[in-house]
């Protein structure tokens, strides 16, 4: 419906609402990115149970013609795209994708990129898990999927080592160093503190970069190199997710569109307040200083000089 600035596109599990008509080649590539990211997350050994939000047939995405439209709809000013957890919708402006208008239709230009899509779609697909995870895992897993090499046919997960090395090289150019001076501070940082440190693109990138380094370590370098501890951790988190889903199935629990909910005193809601509840599974009896030493050693073994403390 052009008069309402609304073109709707659907794939198997996503619905896209665009403010303007997109060229078929563009919409196809965007759709493939969304679907391949969902498929990747469902097939990684994290045990994710990926499903659209309760009450929705598909995940929702909104594409905006201009950054001002995007910001007016609630998009953060310092972002290229965002998953709005309270609204259960992914939002991105055309300029972040690298699109240009020819006639009445939008096409890709040479700046077309899909990394923001991969990052934020990871948040979207993992939505039910986010409230039970520390921020470093939320952002680290999104950076992890974003750094995996991809082709027209999807992600090449088996090439993760080349992906992390390219990611580290890019990080070194931007930061000058990949050191992690205080691992404990990063892994125990609450959301308010994290938010207060993301006031500039540089500080935000530093937090995201370090988070990806830690997530990669737990998935490919820790212990047996098979991500065993991380999978056990995600199993424990899934237990929390299952409890939450059962809680919201109860007809006595009422949810509002802004994400808030009410329930009778006879019911006990899931514990949303402690995203660090299961971190002990990752530490597995190690102190943070011991963990930092192991991280430095394991990264050195694959040719990466990392000084963690």
């Amino acid at each position: 419906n052009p008069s309402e600035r609304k073109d709707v596109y659907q794939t198997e599990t996503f619905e896209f609402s665009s403010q303007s008509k997109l060229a078929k080649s563009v919409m196809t590539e965007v759709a493939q990115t969304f679907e391949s990211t969902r498929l990747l997350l469902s097939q990684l050994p994290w045990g994710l149970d990926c499903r659209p939000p309760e009450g929705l047939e598909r995940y929702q995405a909104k594409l905006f013609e201009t950054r001002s439209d995007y910001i007016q709809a609630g998009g953060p000013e310092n972002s290229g795209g965002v998953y709005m957890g309270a609204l259960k919708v992914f939002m991105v402006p055309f300029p972040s994708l690298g699109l240009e208008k020819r006639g009445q239709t939008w096409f890709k230009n040479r700046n077309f990129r899909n990394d923001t899509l991969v990052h934020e779609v990871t948040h979207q697909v993992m939505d039910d898990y986010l409230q039970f995870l520390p921020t470093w895992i939320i952002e680290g897993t999104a950076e992890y999927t974003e750094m995996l090499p991809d082709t027209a046919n999807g992600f090449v997960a088996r090439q993760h080592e080349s992906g992390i090395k390219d990611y580290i090289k890019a990080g070194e150019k931007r930061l000058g160093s990949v050191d992690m001076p205080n691992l404990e501070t990063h892994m125990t940082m609450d959301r308010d503190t994290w938010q207060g440190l993301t006031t500039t693109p540089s500080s935000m990138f530093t937090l995201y970069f370090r988070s990806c380094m830690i997530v990669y370590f737990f998935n490919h370098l820790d212990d047996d190199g098979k991500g065993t501890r991380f999978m056990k951790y995600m199993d424990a988190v899934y237990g929390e997710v299952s409890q939450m889903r059962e809680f919201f199935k109860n007809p006595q629990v009422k949810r509002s569109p802004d994400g808030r909910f009410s329930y009778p005193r006879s019911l006990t809601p899931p514990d949303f307040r402690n995203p660090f509840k299961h971190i002990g599974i990752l530490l597995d009896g190690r102190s943070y200083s011991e963990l930092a030493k192991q991280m430095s050693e394991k990264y050195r073994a694959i040719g990466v000089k990392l000084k963690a403390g």
Side-chain angles (χ1 to χ4, degrees):
N1 190 335
S3 65
E4 295 182 8
R5 299 179 72 197
K6 188 174 183 179
D7 286 79
V8 176
Y9 306 84
Q10 291 181 341
T11 64
E12 181 182 355
T13 56
F14 287 91
E15 179 172 294
F16 306 87
S17 178
S18 173
Q19 284 189 330
S20 187
K21 183 180 179 180
L22 297 174
K24 183 179 179 181
S25 59
V26 173
M27 194 60 239
T28 297
E29 189 159 346
V30 169
Q32 287 176 337
T33 298
F34 275 74
E35 287 289 358
S36 62
T37 303
R38 181 195 61 82
L39 182 62
L40 170 70
L41 287 161
S42 69
Q43 294 186 347
L44 284 173
W46 297 347
L48 297 176
D49 180 17
C50 305
R51 61 176 78 170
E54 192 69 30
L56 293 175
E57 185 179 351
R58 292 176 173 84
Y59 297 102
Q60 300 295 303
K62 291 186 178 181
L63 286 65
F64 298 88
E65 276 194 80
T66 67
R67 284 197 58 80
S68 59
D69 287 330
Y70 167 74
I71 293 169
Q72 188 175 353
E77 292 198 23
N78 64 342
S79 67
V82 67
Y83 173 62
M84 306 290 281
L87 301 175
K88 309 299 181 191
V89 63
F90 172 93
M91 306 197 315
V92 64
F94 288 2
S96 292
L97 297 175
L99 303 182
E100 63 184 19
K101 197 170 187 178
R102 302 175 200 160
Q104 298 301 311
T105 305
W106 289 81
F107 294 83
K108 292 189 299 182
N109 61 26
R110 61 184 179 182
N111 297 317
F112 182 87
R113 300 183 60 174
N114 67 1
D115 17 357
T116 296
L117 296 183
V118 174
H119 186 108
E120 297 300 331
V121 172
T122 299
H123 292 331
Q124 184 170 25
V125 172
M126 292 181 65
D127 178 74
D128 279 354
Y129 293 77
L130 302 185
Q131 50 209 324
F132 303 108
L133 297 172
T135 311
W136 69 266
I137 293 183
I138 294 173
E139 299 302 342
T141 50
E143 289 288 291
Y144 175 91
T145 56
E146 185 181 331
M147 71 84 188
L148 288 174
D150 64 330
T151 68
N153 295 319
F155 295 90
V156 190
R158 66 181 178 274
Q159 294 181 11
H160 57 80
E161 187 172 316
S162 65
I164 192 66
K165 287 181 176 179
D166 288 343
Y167 180 82
I168 290 169
K169 284 180 183 177
E172 284 178 322
K173 286 182 181 179
R174 187 163 176 178
L175 300 174
S177 167
V178 296
D179 291 346
M180 202 170 301
N182 197 321
L183 182 63
E184 181 176 4
T185 297
H186 192 90
M187 289 180 63
T188 59
M189 191 180 301
D190 62 47
R191 297 184 184 186
D192 289 340
T193 303
W194 180 288
Q195 197 64 33
L197 293 174
T198 56
T199 53
T200 66
S202 177
S203 60
M204 182 182 293
F205 179 81
T206 300
L207 290 173
Y208 283 27
F209 180 82
R210 290 175 177 172
S211 299
C212 185
M213 294 281 287
I214 301 171
V215 167
Y216 185 86
F217 166 78
F218 280 119
N219 275 275
H220 299 291
L221 302 177
D222 189 29
D223 193 27
D224 59 4
K226 297 179 181 179
T228 301
R229 289 190 179 106
F230 194 78
M231 286 186 279
K232 288 181 179 178
Y233 171 82
M234 292 302 293
D235 284 344
V237 171
Y238 179 66
E240 306 279 348
V241 172
S242 297
Q243 290 179 23
M244 178 195 70
R245 287 173 173 170
E246 287 301 314
F247 175 76
F248 284 118
K249 280 182 182 178
N250 192 316
Q252 293 179 289
V253 179
K254 308 298 181 184
R255 303 181 77 169
S256 58
D258 62 3
R260 290 183 291 181
F261 60 92
S262 61
Y263 56 92
R265 292 183 179 179
S266 58
L267 296 179
T268 302
D271 183 7
F272 299 116
R273 297 170 296 178
N274 183 13
F276 303 99
K277 185 186 297 185
H278 303 294
I279 286 295
I281 296 174
L282 296 176
L283 293 173
D284 200 11
R286 297 170 290 185
S287 67
Y288 282 100
S289 59
E290 290 171 332
L291 182 62
K293 182 181 178 182
Q294 290 177 16
M295 278 188 64
S296 298
E297 292 172 350
K298 291 297 182 71
Y299 267 110
R300 190 179 303 118
I302 65 168
V304 175
K305 292 182 179 180
L306 168 68
K307 185 178 180 182

